């Protein structure tokens, strides 16, 4: 089984999660690649068994660099005839969406639409979206956004405990996918 972790991160929150996922995948004997979205332009999604895509939530959507990337890839696959009516499932093709969020206003509800939106690009290609993970991250640049929102004090997040949980969840996911292959 092979995997790629593609991410966009402005402040480092999403990069921490991407690295935790990548490290955990490698510990489960999955051949895994880590790439910033800017480095993934030539990546062919269909070459991977598991694609992990991560980004922060910006106003209920992925940020422009990730949104542009997903739209460009979707357009490419559509022109190549890989987008099929009815989006038939492609056996062995899986996607994990992970989204960091600060939620100075409504918390996770600001992130869920971004995760669902990104998942649709892959669902239309026939990939199975195996999960969406939402990870709290500090709001950099405005302390009150990291201390006075609905989530309380989120300074320093994702912290060691958050990243440990991400690694544990990644190992569980990897083992489940590997047992499905057998």
């Amino acid at each position: 089984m092979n995997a790629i972790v593609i991410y966009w991160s402005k402040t480092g929150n999403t990069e921490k999660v991407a690295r935790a996922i990548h490290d955990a995948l490698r510990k489960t004997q999955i051949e895994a690649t880590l790439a910033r979205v800017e480095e993934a332009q030539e990546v062919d999604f269909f070459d991977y068994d598991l694609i992990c895509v991560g980004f922060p939530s910006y106003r209920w959507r992925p940020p422009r660099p990730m949104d542009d990337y997903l739209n460009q890839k979707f357009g490419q696959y559509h022109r190549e005839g890989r987008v099929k009516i009815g989006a038939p499932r492609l056996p062995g093709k899986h996607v994990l969406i992970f989204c960091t969020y600060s939620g100075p206003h409504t918390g996770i509800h600001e992130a869920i639409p971004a995760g669902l939106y990104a998942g649709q690009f892959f669902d239309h290609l026939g990939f199975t979206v195996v999960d969406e993970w939402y990870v709290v991250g500090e709001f950099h640049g405005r302390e009150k956004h990291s201390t006075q929102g609905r989530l309380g004090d989120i300074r320093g997040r994702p912290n060691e405990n958050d990243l440990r949980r991400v690694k544990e969840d990644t190992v569980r996911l990897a083992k489940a996918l590997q047992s499905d292959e057998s």
Side-chain angles (χ1 to χ4, degrees), residues 6 65 148:
I6 303 170
Q148 298 175 19

Side-chain angles (χ1 to χ4, degrees), residues 17-172:
V17 177
R19 289 187 180 282
I21 291 169
H22 178 255
D23 292 347
L25 287 170
R26 293 188 64 188
K27 287 182 179 158
T28 63
Q29 307 305 309
I30 290 178
E31 180 184 326
T33 303
L34 179 67
R36 294 183 58 83
V37 73
E38 301 86 356
E39 304 163 345
Q41 298 304 314
E42 300 304 316
V43 167
D44 185 347
F45 295 158
F46 293 88
D47 288 344
Y48 294 90
D49 304 308
L50 174 63
I51 302 168
C52 306
V53 175
F55 48 84
S57 173
Y58 280 22
R59 295 186 181 183
W60 318 286
R61 292 183 57 130
R64 181 166 296 269
M66 183 58 76
D67 194 25
D68 288 349
Y69 175 73
L70 292 172
N71 275 294
Q72 179 268 326
K73 295 302 274 186
F74 187 80
Q76 172 191 337
Y77 294 137
H78 191 270
R79 286 187 302 278
E80 293 172 0
R82 293 181 176 186
V83 179
K84 308 285 186 201
I85 293 175
R89 290 286 145 237
L90 298 172
K93 299 297 182 185
H94 305 95
V95 175
L96 168 66
I97 303 294
F98 62 99
C99 181
T100 56
Y101 68 99
S102 297
H105 307 293
T106 63
I108 195 169
H109 299 291
E110 296 179 23
I112 291 171
L116 292 171
Y117 172 81
Q120 280 301 295
F121 286 90
F122 296 95
D123 198 17
H124 277 76
L125 295 175
F127 286 66
T128 299
V129 179
V130 292
D131 213 346
E132 299 150 10
W133 295 349
Y134 301 96
V135 182
V136 174
E138 177 177 352
F139 191 105
H140 295 274
R142 293 190 186 153
E143 187 172 321
K144 72 178 184 177
H145 283 52
S146 284
T147 59
Q148 298 175 19
R150 285 189 184 173
L151 303 175
D153 190 343
I154 58 171
R155 290 176 290 185
R157 308 267 312 263
N159 58 30
E160 287 182 30
N161 286 332
D162 297 321
L163 298 174
R164 178 184 43 76
R165 277 192 299 278
V166 165
K167 287 178 181 180
E168 290 169 355
D169 289 345
T170 302
V171 168
R172 272 192 290 281

